[in-house]
Amino acid sequence: MHELELVELQKTFQDKIAVQNINMRFQNGVYGLLGENGAGKTTLMRMICGILEPSQGEILCDGMKIGKMGGEYRSLLGYLPQDFGYYEDFTANRFLHYMAALKALPEEYAEKRIDELLEMVDLTEVRKKKLKTYSGGMIRRIGIAQALLNDPEILVLDEPTSGLDPKERVRFRNIISSLGKDRLVILSTHIVSDVEYIADNIMIMKNGKMIRTGTESSMAEEGKDCVWKCLVSEKEADRLNEKYIVSNLKNHGAQVELRIVSKEKPTENAERQDVTLEDIYLYLTLS
């Protein structure tokens, strides 16, 4: 088991602070990193993977700076970037062999590993088809396969379900969940449901800062009295929509049912509701 530690980590681009003073510790399990686009998630992931140098602070793996570990750290790491590049005219089989060669994996090991991974991501039957014929979901599955070629103990996935349909998203979540049993997985996304059911720990970023960390249950406890349901007129709904965070709106004839995230009771007839991770996420990022 390996441990990653971020110490006073910061990244600045000219006059913009993309990641600001983050202190975190990661061990085995699935860590879900939530944040809207532009929150700093990709910059943070790229620093963890050693692609970007921090402007300040350091990243330690088992107490050693990752910059000094070099190939030793890269051998522990698997990375699926948000914009996953591939050669359209390569078959899945050829592409994975090419990536294995880039990672300097022994040919005999690579052959066996590729067979295992294609089976795991359910692409064995189409391994000889060109990647340009694959759907978006199939390409993301090839992406996770290439990230796992070296059987990494630290797996970093940046927006892995972006652009996938609901069925593919569920399939991908199940794969990630199974991987988190015996390795450290950091998954970044702006889609709450991607981490709600599989993350052991959840982190929320906003404007480059880590504004909350914890388990889903601890976050739910924090916001347990902040979610309301009320039935109001359309005119009242417009007023409430401007004043509060409305996480859901449903029309009932001449009336409107609102789900509102607020510490204060929004209307006289409002009733408390069970809190969800999405409610907490909206409250923390929009308030």
Side-chain angles (χ1 to χ4, degrees):
M1 183 177 73
H2 296 279
E3 181 179 271
L4 278 181
E5 187 176 5
L6 315 183
V7 183
E8 295 296 325
L9 198 66
Q10 185 159 305
K11 183 63 180 179
T12 305
F13 296 103
Q14 295 179 338
D15 59 346
K16 180 186 177 183
I17 301 176
V19 171
Q20 192 170 160
N21 297 327
I22 290 182
N23 294 278
M24 288 289 301
R25 189 168 297 200
F26 304 92
Q27 296 177 329
N28 270 24
V30 179
Y31 293 79
L33 176 59
L34 284 171
E36 61 187 7
N37 292 329
K41 303 188 306 297
T42 293
T43 300
L44 178 60
M45 301 292 249
R46 288 168 66 85
M47 285 193 289
I48 290 173
C49 291
I51 298 168
L52 283 178
E53 286 283 334
S55 303
Q56 180 181 304
E58 55 192 17
I59 302 172
L60 307 175
C61 179
D62 300 331
M64 297 178 62
K65 294 181 180 181
I66 64 170
K68 292 185 177 180
M69 294 176 68
E72 182 185 355
Y73 181 65
R74 290 192 296 273
S75 70
L76 298 175
L77 190 69
Y79 177 44
L80 175 60
Q82 182 176 0
D83 297 315
F84 168 53
Y86 59 93
Y87 296 102
E88 291 187 339
D89 287 322
F90 278 21
T91 64
N93 201 56
R94 183 184 176 192
F95 177 72
L96 290 177
H97 274 90
Y98 170 74
M99 294 301 295
L102 290 181
K103 296 184 182 195
L105 300 178
E107 189 173 335
E108 186 176 338
Y109 168 84
E111 189 74 41
K112 181 181 178 183
R113 184 67 176 155
I114 288 168
D115 288 344
E116 292 172 351
L117 291 172
L118 286 171
E119 182 71 27
M120 187 193 79
V121 299
D122 196 24
L123 291 173
T124 300
E125 292 185 5
V126 292
R127 66 188 299 164
K128 294 184 179 180
K129 290 183 180 287
K130 291 186 176 181
L131 295 181
K132 65 183 177 183
T133 68
Y134 279 25
S135 68
M138 293 164 76
I139 288 295
R140 298 309 282 179
R141 280 186 269 153
I142 280 291
I144 190 69
Q146 68 79 28
L148 290 167
L149 277 168
N150 58 326
D151 197 17
E153 297 179 61
I154 300 170
L155 186 60
V156 179
L157 308 169
D158 192 4
E159 297 281 359
T161 64
S162 178
L164 301 189
D165 63 36
K167 183 178 178 182
E168 284 285 3
R169 182 169 286 123
V170 170
R171 181 202 292 268
F172 208 90
R173 284 206 306 259
N174 290 340
I175 291 173
I176 295 167
S177 183
S178 66
L179 292 172
K181 293 177 182 177
D182 56 0
R183 71 192 80 212
L184 194 169
V185 180
I186 305 174
L187 160 68
S188 117
T189 183
H190 63 279
I191 303 168
V192 175
S193 60
D194 280 353
V195 301
E196 189 169 13
Y197 300 109
I198 64 171
D200 302 299
N201 290 276
I202 295 164
M203 308 168 288
I204 300 178
M205 281 190 80
K206 180 180 180 181
N207 298 329
K209 297 180 180 179
M210 199 70 73
I211 60 173
R212 276 298 186 284
T213 62
T215 63
E216 182 187 358
S217 59
S218 68
M219 290 190 181
E221 181 65 24
E222 180 182 351
K224 66 180 181 180
D225 296 327
C226 296
V227 184
W228 309 84
K229 182 178 76 172
C230 56
L231 198 62
V232 297
S233 67
E234 291 184 10
K235 183 177 180 180
E236 179 71 354
D238 289 339
R239 185 188 72 81
L240 293 171
N241 207 15
E242 291 182 4
K243 185 176 180 180
Y244 298 104
I245 298 169
V246 176
S247 63
N248 195 43
L249 182 153
K250 187 186 297 183
N251 288 305
H252 289 277
Q255 290 190 301
V256 182
E257 181 184 286
L258 300 178
R259 183 179 179 90
I260 293 175
V261 184
S262 168
K263 283 189 174 181
E264 66 178 53
K265 189 174 183 179
T267 66
E268 279 296 320
N269 69 337
E271 299 176 351
R272 280 204 174 98
Q273 302 294 297
D274 291 337
V275 67
T276 67
L277 181 59
E278 183 175 50
D279 294 325
I280 296 297
Y281 174 66
L282 290 173
Y283 180 75
L284 292 174
T285 57
L286 296 181
S287 59

PDB file of all heavy atoms in Angstrom, residues 103-125:
ATOM      1  N   LYS A 103       5.703   2.168 -22.368  1.00  0.00           N
ATOM      2  CA  LYS A 103       5.902   1.987 -20.935  1.00  0.00           C
ATOM      3  C   LYS A 103       7.010   0.978 -20.635  1.00  0.00           C
ATOM      4  O   LYS A 103       7.230   0.627 -19.473  1.00  0.00           O
ATOM      5  CB  LYS A 103       4.589   1.544 -20.279  1.00  0.00           C
ATOM      6  CG  LYS A 103       3.478   2.599 -20.382  1.00  0.00           C
ATOM      7  CD  LYS A 103       2.216   2.175 -19.652  1.00  0.00           C
ATOM      8  CE  LYS A 103       1.132   3.255 -19.831  1.00  0.00           C
ATOM      9  NZ  LYS A 103       0.021   3.115 -18.891  1.00  0.00           N
ATOM     10  N   ALA A 104       7.669   0.515 -21.704  1.00  0.00           N
ATOM     11  CA  ALA A 104       8.809  -0.415 -21.583  1.00  0.00           C
ATOM     12  C   ALA A 104       8.428  -1.701 -20.867  1.00  0.00           C
ATOM     13  O   ALA A 104       9.199  -2.254 -20.080  1.00  0.00           O
ATOM     14  CB  ALA A 104       9.986   0.264 -20.878  1.00  0.00           C
ATOM     15  N   LEU A 105       7.227  -2.208 -21.148  1.00  0.00           N
ATOM     16  CA  LEU A 105       6.789  -3.458 -20.538  1.00  0.00           C
ATOM     17  C   LEU A 105       7.323  -4.640 -21.349  1.00  0.00           C
ATOM     18  O   LEU A 105       7.329  -4.595 -22.584  1.00  0.00           O
ATOM     19  CB  LEU A 105       5.258  -3.520 -20.490  1.00  0.00           C
ATOM     20  CG  LEU A 105       4.559  -2.409 -19.698  1.00  0.00           C
ATOM     21  CD1 LEU A 105       3.046  -2.571 -19.778  1.00  0.00           C
ATOM     22  CD2 LEU A 105       5.016  -2.411 -18.240  1.00  0.00           C
ATOM     23  N   PRO A 106       7.774  -5.702 -20.722  1.00  0.00           N
ATOM     24  CA  PRO A 106       8.247  -6.884 -21.440  1.00  0.00           C
ATOM     25  C   PRO A 106       7.154  -7.431 -22.358  1.00  0.00           C
ATOM     26  O   PRO A 106       5.976  -7.447 -21.991  1.00  0.00           O
ATOM     27  CB  PRO A 106       8.584  -7.881 -20.315  1.00  0.00           C
ATOM     28  CG  PRO A 106       8.806  -7.035 -19.106  1.00  0.00           C
ATOM     29  CD  PRO A 106       7.895  -5.859 -19.256  1.00  0.00           C
ATOM     30  N   GLU A 107       7.545  -7.879 -23.544  1.00  0.00           N
ATOM     31  CA  GLU A 107       6.578  -8.283 -24.560  1.00  0.00           C
ATOM     32  C   GLU A 107       5.668  -9.416 -24.084  1.00  0.00           C
ATOM     33  O   GLU A 107       4.458  -9.397 -24.301  1.00  0.00           O
ATOM     34  CB  GLU A 107       7.312  -8.706 -25.829  1.00  0.00           C
ATOM     35  CG  GLU A 107       6.385  -8.933 -27.015  1.00  0.00           C
ATOM     36  CD  GLU A 107       7.149  -9.179 -28.302  1.00  0.00           C
ATOM     37  OE1 GLU A 107       8.309  -8.733 -28.408  1.00  0.00           O
ATOM     38  OE2 GLU A 107       6.586  -9.838 -29.191  1.00  0.00           O
ATOM     39  N   GLU A 108       6.248 -10.407 -23.427  1.00  0.00           N
ATOM     40  CA  GLU A 108       5.450 -11.548 -22.970  1.00  0.00           C
ATOM     41  C   GLU A 108       4.427 -11.120 -21.923  1.00  0.00           C
ATOM     42  O   GLU A 108       3.263 -11.530 -21.954  1.00  0.00           O
ATOM     43  CB  GLU A 108       6.373 -12.626 -22.393  1.00  0.00           C
ATOM     44  CG  GLU A 108       5.653 -13.907 -22.027  1.00  0.00           C
ATOM     45  CD  GLU A 108       6.612 -14.994 -21.537  1.00  0.00           C
ATOM     46  OE1 GLU A 108       7.813 -14.918 -21.855  1.00  0.00           O
ATOM     47  OE2 GLU A 108       6.141 -15.899 -20.817  1.00  0.00           O
ATOM     48  N   TYR A 109       4.864 -10.238 -21.002  1.00  0.00           N
ATOM     49  CA  TYR A 109       3.954  -9.712 -19.979  1.00  0.00           C
ATOM     50  C   TYR A 109       2.847  -8.888 -20.632  1.00  0.00           C
ATOM     51  O   TYR A 109       1.670  -9.016 -20.286  1.00  0.00           O
ATOM     52  CB  TYR A 109       4.718  -8.852 -18.977  1.00  0.00           C
ATOM     53  CG  TYR A 109       3.823  -8.050 -18.058  1.00  0.00           C
ATOM     54  CD1 TYR A 109       3.289  -8.617 -16.905  1.00  0.00           C
ATOM     55  CD2 TYR A 109       3.485  -6.728 -18.355  1.00  0.00           C
ATOM     56  CE1 TYR A 109       2.448  -7.894 -16.069  1.00  0.00           C
ATOM     57  CE2 TYR A 109       2.641  -6.003 -17.529  1.00  0.00           C
ATOM     58  CZ  TYR A 109       2.134  -6.589 -16.389  1.00  0.00           C
ATOM     59  OH  TYR A 109       1.296  -5.867 -15.568  1.00  0.00           O
ATOM     60  N   ALA A 110       3.236  -8.033 -21.587  1.00  0.00           N
ATOM     61  CA  ALA A 110       2.273  -7.152 -22.243  1.00  0.00           C
ATOM     62  C   ALA A 110       1.186  -7.947 -22.954  1.00  0.00           C
ATOM     63  O   ALA A 110      -0.003  -7.606 -22.891  1.00  0.00           O
ATOM     64  CB  ALA A 110       2.991  -6.240 -23.233  1.00  0.00           C
ATOM     65  N   GLU A 111       1.568  -9.012 -23.630  1.00  0.00           N
ATOM     66  CA  GLU A 111       0.610  -9.845 -24.362  1.00  0.00           C
ATOM     67  C   GLU A 111      -0.455 -10.399 -23.428  1.00  0.00           C
ATOM     68  O   GLU A 111      -1.656 -10.308 -23.702  1.00  0.00           O
ATOM     69  CB  GLU A 111       1.354 -11.000 -25.055  1.00  0.00           C
ATOM     70  CG  GLU A 111       0.500 -11.803 -26.019  1.00  0.00           C
ATOM     71  CD  GLU A 111       0.212 -11.066 -27.314  1.00  0.00           C
ATOM     72  OE1 GLU A 111       1.106 -10.416 -27.850  1.00  0.00           O
ATOM     73  OE2 GLU A 111      -0.952 -11.141 -27.772  1.00  0.00           O
ATOM     74  N   LYS A 112      -0.002 -10.939 -22.310  1.00  0.00           N
ATOM     75  CA  LYS A 112      -0.932 -11.516 -21.339  1.00  0.00           C
ATOM     76  C   LYS A 112      -1.782 -10.430 -20.686  1.00  0.00           C
ATOM     77  O   LYS A 112      -2.997 -10.602 -20.503  1.00  0.00           O
ATOM     78  CB  LYS A 112      -0.142 -12.277 -20.270  1.00  0.00           C
ATOM     79  CG  LYS A 112      -1.014 -12.946 -19.223  1.00  0.00           C
ATOM     80  CD  LYS A 112      -0.156 -13.661 -18.183  1.00  0.00           C
ATOM     81  CE  LYS A 112      -1.037 -14.289 -17.094  1.00  0.00           C
ATOM     82  NZ  LYS A 112      -0.224 -14.937 -16.039  1.00  0.00           N
ATOM     83  N   ARG A 113      -1.158  -9.316 -20.351  1.00  0.00           N
ATOM     84  CA  ARG A 113      -1.870  -8.227 -19.683  1.00  0.00           C
ATOM     85  C   ARG A 113      -2.937  -7.622 -20.587  1.00  0.00           C
ATOM     86  O   ARG A 113      -4.043  -7.304 -20.134  1.00  0.00           O
ATOM     87  CB  ARG A 113      -0.862  -7.151 -19.258  1.00  0.00           C
ATOM     88  CG  ARG A 113      -1.459  -5.993 -18.464  1.00  0.00           C
ATOM     89  CD  ARG A 113      -1.951  -6.447 -17.120  1.00  0.00           C
ATOM     90  NE  ARG A 113      -2.429  -5.317 -16.326  1.00  0.00           N
ATOM     91  CZ  ARG A 113      -3.321  -5.423 -15.359  1.00  0.00           C
ATOM     92  NH1 ARG A 113      -3.846  -6.590 -15.054  1.00  0.00           N
ATOM     93  NH2 ARG A 113      -3.694  -4.360 -14.673  1.00  0.00           N
ATOM     94  N   ILE A 114      -2.636  -7.455 -21.852  1.00  0.00           N
ATOM     95  CA  ILE A 114      -3.603  -6.894 -22.801  1.00  0.00           C
ATOM     96  C   ILE A 114      -4.821  -7.803 -22.929  1.00  0.00           C
ATOM     97  O   ILE A 114      -5.964  -7.334 -22.959  1.00  0.00           O
ATOM     98  CB  ILE A 114      -2.929  -6.648 -24.169  1.00  0.00           C
ATOM     99  CG1 ILE A 114      -1.979  -5.450 -24.064  1.00  0.00           C
ATOM    100  CG2 ILE A 114      -3.979  -6.396 -25.268  1.00  0.00           C
ATOM    101  CD1 ILE A 114      -1.061  -5.285 -25.244  1.00  0.00           C
ATOM    102  N   ASP A 115      -4.604  -9.106 -22.980  1.00  0.00           N
ATOM    103  CA  ASP A 115      -5.721 -10.054 -23.020  1.00  0.00           C
ATOM    104  C   ASP A 115      -6.608  -9.887 -21.788  1.00  0.00           C
ATOM    105  O   ASP A 115      -7.846  -9.855 -21.894  1.00  0.00           O
ATOM    106  CB  ASP A 115      -5.201 -11.495 -23.081  1.00  0.00           C
ATOM    107  CG  ASP A 115      -4.592 -11.846 -24.432  1.00  0.00           C
ATOM    108  OD1 ASP A 115      -4.833 -11.103 -25.403  1.00  0.00           O
ATOM    109  OD2 ASP A 115      -3.868 -12.859 -24.510  1.00  0.00           O
ATOM    110  N   GLU A 116      -5.986  -9.759 -20.614  1.00  0.00           N
ATOM    111  CA  GLU A 116      -6.741  -9.611 -19.368  1.00  0.00           C
ATOM    112  C   GLU A 116      -7.559  -8.320 -19.362  1.00  0.00           C
ATOM    113  O   GLU A 116      -8.732  -8.310 -18.960  1.00  0.00           O
ATOM    114  CB  GLU A 116      -5.778  -9.592 -18.181  1.00  0.00           C
ATOM    115  CG  GLU A 116      -5.064 -10.900 -17.905  1.00  0.00           C
ATOM    116  CD  GLU A 116      -3.988 -10.766 -16.843  1.00  0.00           C
ATOM    117  OE1 GLU A 116      -3.684  -9.616 -16.443  1.00  0.00           O
ATOM    118  OE2 GLU A 116      -3.446 -11.807 -16.431  1.00  0.00           O
ATOM    119  N   LEU A 117      -6.933  -7.238 -19.805  1.00  0.00           N
ATOM    120  CA  LEU A 117      -7.604  -5.932 -19.754  1.00  0.00           C
ATOM    121  C   LEU A 117      -8.739  -5.824 -20.766  1.00  0.00           C
ATOM    122  O   LEU A 117      -9.788  -5.245 -20.467  1.00  0.00           O
ATOM    123  CB  LEU A 117      -6.574  -4.814 -19.973  1.00  0.00           C
ATOM    124  CG  LEU A 117      -5.577  -4.639 -18.830  1.00  0.00           C
ATOM    125  CD1 LEU A 117      -4.487  -3.658 -19.220  1.00  0.00           C
ATOM    126  CD2 LEU A 117      -6.279  -4.160 -17.558  1.00  0.00           C
ATOM    127  N   LEU A 118      -8.540  -6.354 -21.957  1.00  0.00           N
ATOM    128  CA  LEU A 118      -9.618  -6.329 -22.953  1.00  0.00           C
ATOM    129  C   LEU A 118     -10.820  -7.124 -22.464  1.00  0.00           C
ATOM    130  O   LEU A 118     -11.974  -6.746 -22.710  1.00  0.00           O
ATOM    131  CB  LEU A 118      -9.117  -6.865 -24.294  1.00  0.00           C
ATOM    132  CG  LEU A 118      -8.190  -5.929 -25.072  1.00  0.00           C
ATOM    133  CD1 LEU A 118      -7.573  -6.646 -26.266  1.00  0.00           C
ATOM    134  CD2 LEU A 118      -8.937  -4.682 -25.539  1.00  0.00           C
ATOM    135  N   GLU A 119     -10.543  -8.201 -21.744  1.00  0.00           N
ATOM    136  CA  GLU A 119     -11.631  -8.982 -21.147  1.00  0.00           C
ATOM    137  C   GLU A 119     -12.327  -8.170 -20.058  1.00  0.00           C
ATOM    138  O   GLU A 119     -13.558  -8.142 -19.969  1.00  0.00           O
ATOM    139  CB  GLU A 119     -11.062 -10.277 -20.557  1.00  0.00           C
ATOM    140  CG  GLU A 119     -12.103 -11.205 -19.950  1.00  0.00           C
ATOM    141  CD  GLU A 119     -12.981 -11.878 -20.999  1.00  0.00           C
ATOM    142  OE1 GLU A 119     -12.535 -12.061 -22.145  1.00  0.00           O
ATOM    143  OE2 GLU A 119     -14.132 -12.200 -20.651  1.00  0.00           O
ATOM    144  N   MET A 120     -11.531  -7.491 -19.237  1.00  0.00           N
ATOM    145  CA  MET A 120     -12.085  -6.716 -18.132  1.00  0.00           C
ATOM    146  C   MET A 120     -12.996  -5.589 -18.624  1.00  0.00           C
ATOM    147  O   MET A 120     -14.048  -5.327 -18.037  1.00  0.00           O
ATOM    148  CB  MET A 120     -10.963  -6.123 -17.276  1.00  0.00           C
ATOM    149  CG  MET A 120     -11.452  -5.443 -16.013  1.00  0.00           C
ATOM    150  SD  MET A 120     -10.184  -4.444 -15.205  1.00  0.00           S
ATOM    151  CE  MET A 120     -10.215  -2.977 -16.226  1.00  0.00           C
ATOM    152  N   VAL A 121     -12.597  -4.909 -19.698  1.00  0.00           N
ATOM    153  CA  VAL A 121     -13.395  -3.781 -20.206  1.00  0.00           C
ATOM    154  C   VAL A 121     -14.366  -4.214 -21.308  1.00  0.00           C
ATOM    155  O   VAL A 121     -14.979  -3.380 -21.971  1.00  0.00           O
ATOM    156  CB  VAL A 121     -12.492  -2.628 -20.705  1.00  0.00           C
ATOM    157  CG1 VAL A 121     -11.647  -2.088 -19.578  1.00  0.00           C
ATOM    158  CG2 VAL A 121     -11.616  -3.071 -21.882  1.00  0.00           C
ATOM    159  N   ASP A 122     -14.498  -5.532 -21.490  1.00  0.00           N
ATOM    160  CA  ASP A 122     -15.484  -6.116 -22.407  1.00  0.00           C
ATOM    161  C   ASP A 122     -15.280  -5.665 -23.864  1.00  0.00           C
ATOM    162  O   ASP A 122     -16.225  -5.276 -24.550  1.00  0.00           O
ATOM    163  CB  ASP A 122     -16.904  -5.752 -21.942  1.00  0.00           C
ATOM    164  CG  ASP A 122     -17.966  -6.629 -22.599  1.00  0.00           C
ATOM    165  OD1 ASP A 122     -17.639  -7.744 -23.025  1.00  0.00           O
ATOM    166  OD2 ASP A 122     -19.130  -6.174 -22.691  1.00  0.00           O
ATOM    167  N   LEU A 123     -14.025  -5.724 -24.317  1.00  0.00           N
ATOM    168  CA  LEU A 123     -13.723  -5.344 -25.703  1.00  0.00           C
ATOM    169  C   LEU A 123     -12.956  -6.442 -26.456  1.00  0.00           C
ATOM    170  O   LEU A 123     -12.444  -6.191 -27.548  1.00  0.00           O
ATOM    171  CB  LEU A 123     -12.907  -4.040 -25.726  1.00  0.00           C
ATOM    172  CG  LEU A 123     -13.645  -2.777 -25.297  1.00  0.00           C
ATOM    173  CD1 LEU A 123     -12.679  -1.603 -25.209  1.00  0.00           C
ATOM    174  CD2 LEU A 123     -14.795  -2.443 -26.242  1.00  0.00           C
ATOM    175  N   THR A 124     -12.912  -7.630 -25.903  1.00  0.00           N
ATOM    176  CA  THR A 124     -12.162  -8.716 -26.539  1.00  0.00           C
ATOM    177  C   THR A 124     -12.665  -9.002 -27.957  1.00  0.00           C
ATOM    178  O   THR A 124     -11.868  -9.189 -28.890  1.00  0.00           O
ATOM    179  CB  THR A 124     -12.255 -10.000 -25.689  1.00  0.00           C
ATOM    180  OG1 THR A 124     -11.701  -9.742 -24.398  1.00  0.00           O
ATOM    181  CG2 THR A 124     -11.488 -11.138 -26.348  1.00  0.00           C
ATOM    182  N   GLU A 125     -13.963  -9.010 -28.135  1.00  0.00           N
ATOM    183  CA  GLU A 125     -14.533  -9.381 -29.433  1.00  0.00           C
ATOM    184  C   GLU A 125     -14.289  -8.330 -30.511  1.00  0.00           C
ATOM    185  O   GLU A 125     -14.401  -8.628 -31.705  1.00  0.00           O
ATOM    186  CB  GLU A 125     -16.033  -9.651 -29.287  1.00  0.00           C
ATOM    187  CG  GLU A 125     -16.351 -10.898 -28.465  1.00  0.00           C
ATOM    188  CD  GLU A 125     -17.831 -11.210 -28.427  1.00  0.00           C
ATOM    189  OE1 GLU A 125     -18.601 -10.505 -29.122  1.00  0.00           O
ATOM    190  OE2 GLU A 125     -18.220 -12.146 -27.713  1.00  0.00           O
TER     191      GLU A 125
END
